[in-house]
Amino acid sequence: MTDTNNTPGADGGDAVVSAFNAVGADYIFCSSGSEWAPVWESLARRHRDGEPAPEYLDLTHETVAVGMATGYGLVKRRPQGVLLHAAPGLLQGSMAVHGALLAGVPMVVTSSESTTYGDGPGQDPGGQWYRNLSIVGGPHQIAQPFTKWSNEAASVHTLPTMIARAAELSWRAPAGPAYLNIPLEILLEDWDGRGAKPIVPPGSTHSSPEEVDPVAQLIREAVNPVIVTETAGREAGGFEALVAFAEAWNIPVVEPDSAVCGNFPRTHPLHAGSDIGPWMDEADLILLVNCRAPFYPPSRRPSKATIVVIDEVPQRPHVVYQVLFADKYLEGNVANTLRQLAKRAKDLDVAVVTARRAAQEERHADEQAAIAAVEVKAAQAEGIDPVLVAATLRGLLDGQDAIVVDETITHSRVVKRHVQTSDPDSYFYVQGGLGQGMAVALGVKLAAKERPVVLTIGDGAFTYNPVIQSYDASNAYELPLLIVVFNNRVYKSMNLNHRRFYPEGAAAETGEWLGTDLHRLPRLAQFAEPFGMHTETVDAPDALAPALERALKAVAEGTTAVVDVLVTR
């Protein structure tokens, strides 16, 4: 803590803004609550006096605030500030906070409580805390299960360094949201101006040569190794390091369906698709690179492969049940570890490596041919097949440096397989419960304003989103998106489970499929019309490409575009 000159009238609100300045937050994402008047006053004063402060975003839903911080953090990888309202606001935003935990995004989430209920000296916090807002044990107790760290700032004098500590904890591996309860009385208390010291990026951990060399020897001796990754591309430099590592050793790379970001170019000859199944009996070495849950069911063990886990924090503390079957761990920074292993790609058996590369190139060619055949079939089908939507998007986005944020369920494999992103930070899958996709995409756009951002989303997921509040944020902060709805008018994944569990049950006999029908919803694009956005509803294949072209043009001109595509399945 360092001493600074006290600003006349400074209080806990100034301490909060000062602390977020110190931790390097670019933005404060706020879903308004009555406790934040001291922060708003501090920001108003700083704006008036030309003093530094993070940019403030006034957002009208907790999921939008947290989700935008998540999207921004996916690209920038630095902690930002989030202000929610009391325990109810925290509970409303809890799904998105949990999503940030799963996505490994650092942020400092705060909300408030009352400690005096009007019976203490100083300003009256208001009767709403006594009657409605307070929760037994405080909001920091309920935040514990879905945050990395949760605590209370019990004094205005420790408030700045508590925010700094929360930011530092959230930034370090495994990155994730930290929560701080800041009682309203603390926000209103006089602050003596002692602020937090600016924080610095986390240091890099490294696997030692004594640990890396034996793994390099295992790779050298392997005939049929494979890399499996879920989130290598989420690490700074991880995408590029994985490409260099795979190319140095000529090892195929599988991105299973559980992959949640772009990790490796899908057009690369070493990309081995999404199915780990063929490798379970064939591989003699499996390299799990940032792969939290490679095998399902967890007891499904490879028959003969040695398993090496490359991950800075392989045993994720927020994963309830995790089985990796590891024979060796390399637990340093993933990008650095991959670079170390790439440098050791020497004295290779040329015949073995050549045969391995040739076999993978043949598999890759077969996969590309299969993709092309499926796309030809989709183009000839009656109605709009989801494959046609994804393939059309790929063609229109080619060379645009676009980012795809995906919140589909039954169509997620189609999006990955046929959009075929191939650059770092070009694909993110929304983590946790449905209903965050719009906010995450807005946050991604905020972090990458020069790049087109496309949200692919199912009709079921669309209806879970805070749509009005997301459109408001898009307009207010000039964050145009292309939103493409894969609309099959049904909660398909729920229906599939019903059919799978009860193939000859009463529903199959009578056709009464409950909990799944979405035909009663109005045209989804229409919700954007009051906001002056570009809207299209498409139900014919020959209308698809022109509609998407018009939508992308509107986005390039600064307007969010919503294309509701009525797909056949």
Side-chain angles (χ1 to χ4, degrees):
M1 186 177 292
T2 56
D3 291 331
T4 60
N5 293 327
N6 185 21
T7 300
D11 58 17
D14 293 290
V16 169
V17 177
S18 172
F20 278 123
N21 250 347
V23 304
D26 302 316
Y27 290 92
I28 294 176
F29 301 85
C30 180
S31 177
S32 299
S34 55
E35 66 263 51
W36 297 121
V39 170
W40 298 332
E41 179 64 19
S42 175
L43 288 167
R45 180 184 59 76
R46 286 167 182 264
H47 295 159
R48 180 197 66 191
D49 298 343
E51 296 177 3
E55 189 167 341
Y56 174 86
L57 300 185
D58 234 336
L59 304 165
T60 52
H61 195 282
E62 292 83 356
T63 299
V64 177
V66 181
M68 286 186 66
T70 298
Y72 190 84
L74 284 170
V75 178
K76 294 297 187 179
R77 301 178 174 89
R78 301 193 310 271
Q80 306 299 312
V82 178
L83 310 185
L84 304 179
H85 176 44
L90 175 63
L91 287 168
Q92 179 70 40
S94 61
M95 182 187 69
V97 178
H98 181 246
L101 180 70
L102 297 179
V105 173
M107 64 180 67
V108 179
V109 180
T110 64
S111 71
S112 200
E113 182 61 280
S114 177
T115 56
T116 66
Y117 304 104
D119 278 341
Q123 298 193 58
D124 181 3
Q128 71 272 22
W129 299 93
Y130 182 53
R131 301 185 187 100
N132 297 317
L133 296 180
S134 292
I135 191 165
V136 174
H140 51 291
Q141 295 289 335
I142 62 173
Q144 285 182 349
F146 51 85
T147 58
K148 181 180 176 182
W149 178 83
S150 179
N151 212 333
E152 177 183 8
S155 167
V156 72
H157 305 298
T158 59
L159 175 56
T161 46
M162 286 289 277
I163 291 175
R165 172 166 165 74
E168 289 191 311
L169 281 166
S170 77
W171 207 355
R172 278 152 177 80
Y179 172 78
L180 197 60
N181 168 24
I182 309 174
L184 178 53
E185 288 82 353
I186 301 299
L187 290 168
L188 292 168
E189 191 173 339
D190 289 342
W191 174 51
D192 62 10
R194 290 181 296 171
K197 182 181 184 297
I199 66 172
V200 297
S204 178
T205 58
H206 296 264
S207 296
S208 68
E210 290 78 13
E211 295 167 318
V212 175
D213 286 340
V215 172
Q217 187 60 30
L218 284 174
I219 302 172
R220 194 172 290 111
E221 295 170 354
V223 174
N224 199 20
V226 65
I227 298 164
V228 183
T229 183
E230 291 176 334
T231 62
R234 199 164 63 192
E235 309 298 323
F239 188 101
E240 298 88 342
L242 182 57
V243 172
F245 168 56
E247 289 180 340
W249 294 90
N250 279 294
I251 304 176
V253 178
V254 174
E255 288 184 285
D257 291 332
S258 52
V260 297
C261 63
N263 303 290
F264 196 83
R266 287 193 165 256
T267 53
H268 196 291
L270 288 174
H271 196 285
S274 61
D275 186 6
I276 194 176
W279 301 93
M280 296 296 284
D281 293 324
E282 297 176 11
D284 54 359
L285 177 65
I286 296 178
L287 299 150
L288 301 179
V289 181
N290 265 30
C291 205
R292 58 185 175 174
F295 313 119
Y296 190 82
S299 58
R300 186 189 182 204
R301 183 170 190 157
S303 60
K304 62 183 179 182
T306 298
I307 298 175
V308 176
V309 174
I310 301 173
D311 196 324
E312 191 167 11
V313 186
Q315 295 295 335
R316 309 292 170 89
H318 63 268
V319 176
V320 175
Y321 183 57
Q322 188 181 17
V323 181
L324 299 175
F325 297 120
D327 296 298
K328 284 187 177 293
Y329 286 106
L330 290 179
E331 297 188 41
N333 173 269
V334 168
N336 179 271
T337 301
L338 294 176
R339 286 191 287 264
Q340 286 193 61
L341 287 169
K343 291 177 182 177
R344 287 163 169 78
K346 302 172 182 177
D347 303 322
L348 307 183
D349 187 321
V350 176
V352 169
V353 171
T354 301
R356 182 163 72 224
R357 176 78 184 213
Q360 172 51 32
E361 288 182 350
E362 183 178 351
R363 282 190 295 265
H364 183 75
D366 290 344
E367 169 67 2
Q368 293 302 305
I371 288 172
V374 170
E375 291 178 359
V376 168
K377 183 178 178 181
Q380 297 171 344
E382 291 187 13
I384 303 176
D385 190 285
V387 169
L388 181 63
V389 183
T392 304
L393 273 175
R394 183 185 71 238
L396 293 174
L397 298 178
D398 184 39
Q400 300 299 311
D401 193 27
I403 303 173
V404 176
V405 178
D406 186 27
E407 196 179 30
T408 62
I409 298 295
T410 55
H411 299 123
S412 62
R413 293 185 183 95
V414 169
V415 171
K416 289 177 184 176
R417 191 182 190 209
H418 294 277
V419 174
Q420 293 197 344
T421 55
S422 58
D423 297 311
D425 292 340
S426 59
Y427 171 83
F428 298 104
Y429 188 78
V430 178
Q431 293 288 276
L434 295 174
Q436 309 171 60
M438 290 185 181
V440 172
L442 288 167
V444 168
K445 182 65 176 179
L446 184 67
K449 291 184 178 180
E450 73 288 355
R451 300 175 66 181
V453 176
V454 180
L455 172 65
T456 52
I457 187 168
D459 52 325
F462 183 94
T463 59
Y464 283 130
N465 273 259
V467 175
I468 292 172
Q469 298 91 332
S470 298
Y471 288 161
D472 171 65
S474 174
N475 274 359
Y477 298 107
E478 299 180 348
L479 302 172
L481 306 174
L482 170 57
I483 301 173
V484 180
V485 185
F486 286 66
N487 188 346
N488 57 9
R489 283 81 75 201
V490 66
Y491 283 122
K492 192 66 175 285
S493 63
M494 303 178 194
N495 184 253
L496 289 174
N497 270 349
H498 192 159
R499 293 174 184 272
R500 180 163 63 96
F501 296 151
Y502 302 98
E504 299 177 358
E509 179 183 345
T510 64
E512 185 182 10
W513 301 105
L514 301 175
T516 63
D517 185 23
L518 295 177
H519 281 86
R520 65 179 182 269
L521 294 178
R523 293 281 68 85
L524 300 182
Q526 293 176 349
F527 291 97
E529 290 177 0
F531 294 88
M533 295 173 173
H534 181 93
T535 64
E536 305 242 8
T537 299
V538 186
D539 61 2
D542 58 356
L544 177 62
L548 290 174
E549 287 176 357
R550 289 190 294 269
L552 280 168
K553 184 175 183 292
V555 171
E557 293 171 351
T559 302
T560 283
V562 185
V563 182
D564 183 14
V565 185
L566 307 185
V567 294
T568 56
R569 59 186 175 91

